[in-house]
Amino acid sequence: MRRANFELPTLAAAVLGLCASSNAVAGGFAVPELSTAGIGTTNALVANPDERGAIVYNPAAMAFHDQSSINTGLLLLAPDSHVDIPGGGGDATNADWFVAPMIQAAIRINEDWSAGLGVTAPFGLETRWAPNTFPALTGRAALPSPPFAPGSSVPLSPQPTQSKLEIVNFTPTATYRVTPELALSAGADIYWAKAAQLDSTITELEGEGTGWGFNLSAMYVKDRFSAGINFHSAPTVSLDGTFSVLDPNLVLLGAAPPSQTAELDVDLPWRLQVGVRYEIIQDQLAVELDWTRNGWSEFQEIKVVGDRTGTTLIEDQNQWDDSNAFRLGLTYNLVEQTQLRLGYSFDETPQGDEFFSARVPDNDRHLFGLGVAHKLNDRIQLELGYMYVMLEDRDFRSTRPYDPVNAPGDINGTTALNGDYSSEVHLIGLELSTSFDAF
């Protein structure tokens, strides 16, 4: 066996799992659900000057609120994935529920200035595949005897098993009301990758790290019409992790590097949202249309550097494309204390067939949301939202053969992953908000 047969491909298959999850709620591995109001309207809130839960989508909305507010809540997700492959396939062993924070504070300083802080989880989720899911990746290679015991063998291919990524974003912002109709906002995006883990049948890789970017937004409100725009820059999250080889025979053969610490930079996409909103019935029924552009073309390569040697252990190409999302949201004030919400979105996938990954069996998706908000009194509001995400089935058929002998780790986009993939996600948001006079 040659060292190249295992070292770089094995790391490539491992590292891909750090950056993606097959059950993300938007294209790629984004989770754009940032508030319970967003869940009910399928994230069509960038032009909404009224709802407290809209501030996290467009901080400039703070300028049009008469009081300060604090929203605290949880986002719960239940993903389900399945693949049909001749001789294999089956359900992914997903975590029963994935829980993410939703926190937003908006402080009204005076008539012109406001300050905010959001805590959300815009990227992540978790997927697990059983070791026998992909038959083409379950083979083993016989070892010579001696020096190894007769009948000894090592895994021939690194089948993906578990991928996990949890990124929390802290977003401090400042908003200035330029005119009675126009407000501008700017802030920082501080990303904390609190958990990044990848397991395969050959390797394990886990780590954590941080990164930062910036955000800019604006909102214009005139009578029943409003328009908003929000931009988040493309951050780089630097991860420090530990790479381990599960079978020590691979290290003895020189087919894989020994366990060591390593560094990885993950380029996340920029995000642009533009929306318009109109009150069809003043103070009662409003409709909003949003367009979102996600800059997944930033996610071009993954490069892992070993701390022991200082050399590049892997440099893998992804070549994802920028993608669009189209969102429709409705809000209806049933009575003064109670609001109903409804939404639909269509999200494009950024992933083409050439680099299709079992860790990210992504496809175009449809989002359906509904929600309710009820004022318990003049200051406290309770909100509940539900969303169903249906990924279009992806019948992946590659014409590029998988070569388990010369390129055992070169899995993505090959015939080893041929199959029919289906996924769905259920989301529940629960949030409590309170308003108050800060100054």
Side-chain angles (χ1 to χ4, degrees), residues 61-388:
M62 287 187 290
F64 301 97
H65 292 210
D66 295 330
Q67 291 182 303
S68 302
S69 64
I70 296 178
N71 290 21
T72 57
L74 294 175
L75 170 65
L76 296 91
L77 304 95
D80 181 42
S81 297
H82 183 83
V83 59
D84 288 322
I85 296 177
D91 295 324
T93 308
N94 298 293
D96 292 334
W97 287 96
F98 176 84
V99 181
M102 296 187 298
I103 302 173
Q104 177 67 47
I107 306 300
R108 181 179 171 86
I109 300 173
N110 54 43
E111 293 184 356
D112 296 328
W113 287 94
S114 300
L117 175 64
V119 181
T120 58
F123 300 98
L125 294 184
E126 181 177 5
T127 299
R128 307 170 195 166
W129 294 109
N132 61 349
T133 300
F134 306 96
L137 305 178
T138 58
R140 299 182 67 88
L143 295 178
S145 53
F148 298 96
S152 297
S153 63
V154 293
L156 184 62
S157 305
Q159 183 197 297
T161 53
Q162 182 176 4
S163 305
K164 184 177 181 179
L165 178 67
E166 296 179 9
I167 293 183
V168 178
N169 185 17
F170 300 87
T171 311
T173 53
T175 296
Y176 179 68
R177 192 162 183 170
V178 182
T179 70
E181 295 83 17
L182 177 65
L184 303 177
S185 181
D189 286 319
I190 303 169
Y191 296 92
W192 172 38
K194 62 185 294 287
Q197 180 180 351
L198 183 283
D199 293 338
S200 75
T201 51
I202 290 178
T203 63
E204 291 181 349
L205 187 63
E206 62 181 4
E208 63 178 350
T210 58
W212 68 276
F214 66 88
N215 63 83
L216 302 170
S217 60
M219 182 171 288
Y220 176 82
V221 180
K222 182 67 174 180
D223 300 326
R224 298 186 185 185
F225 173 81
S226 60
I229 183 171
N230 184 25
F231 175 77
H232 291 263
S233 66
T236 297
V237 178
S238 299
L239 300 174
D240 294 320
T242 301
F243 170 76
S244 302
V245 179
L246 299 179
D247 191 329
N249 286 331
L250 292 172
V251 179
L252 293 175
L253 287 169
S259 299
Q260 61 179 297
T261 59
E263 297 178 359
L264 165 65
D265 288 339
V266 179
D267 295 322
L268 298 176
W270 51 263
R271 293 167 284 158
L272 174 65
Q273 277 188 286
V274 179
V276 293
R277 180 177 181 267
Y278 184 74
E279 291 187 359
I280 301 173
I281 302 176
Q282 190 168 9
D283 298 325
Q284 187 174 22
L285 176 64
V287 59
E288 178 166 341
L289 294 173
D290 286 6
W291 168 71
T292 300
R293 183 74 169 173
N294 292 302
W296 284 110
S297 58
E298 299 289 335
F299 189 58
Q300 291 295 302
E301 68 173 8
I302 294 173
K303 186 176 182 179
V304 180
V305 178
D307 290 334
R308 179 180 299 181
T309 61
T311 59
T312 299
L313 300 177
I314 179 62
E315 188 168 359
D316 188 81
Q317 297 298 313
N318 300 292
Q319 302 299 324
W320 283 16
D321 300 319
D322 295 342
S323 63
N324 299 302
F326 306 92
R327 313 195 187 282
L328 169 67
L330 296 171
T331 56
Y332 177 71
N333 295 325
L334 184 64
V335 295
E336 183 179 354
Q337 295 83 11
T338 305
Q339 181 184 83
L340 303 180
R341 298 158 177 165
L342 188 68
Y344 167 76
S345 293
F346 174 75
D347 283 16
E348 298 175 342
T349 178
Q351 182 194 57
D353 284 347
E354 185 178 0
F355 296 96
F356 177 79
S357 169
R359 298 191 184 279
V360 201
D362 195 37
N363 206 4
D364 297 340
R365 62 199 66 202
H366 304 268
L367 288 66
F368 305 89
L370 56 90
V372 61
H374 181 73
K375 294 180 180 178
L376 303 179
N377 54 45
D378 291 340
R379 294 183 179 273
I380 300 177
Q381 179 169 290
L382 182 63
E383 304 183 26
L384 178 66
Y386 169 77
M387 181 186 292
Y388 173 68

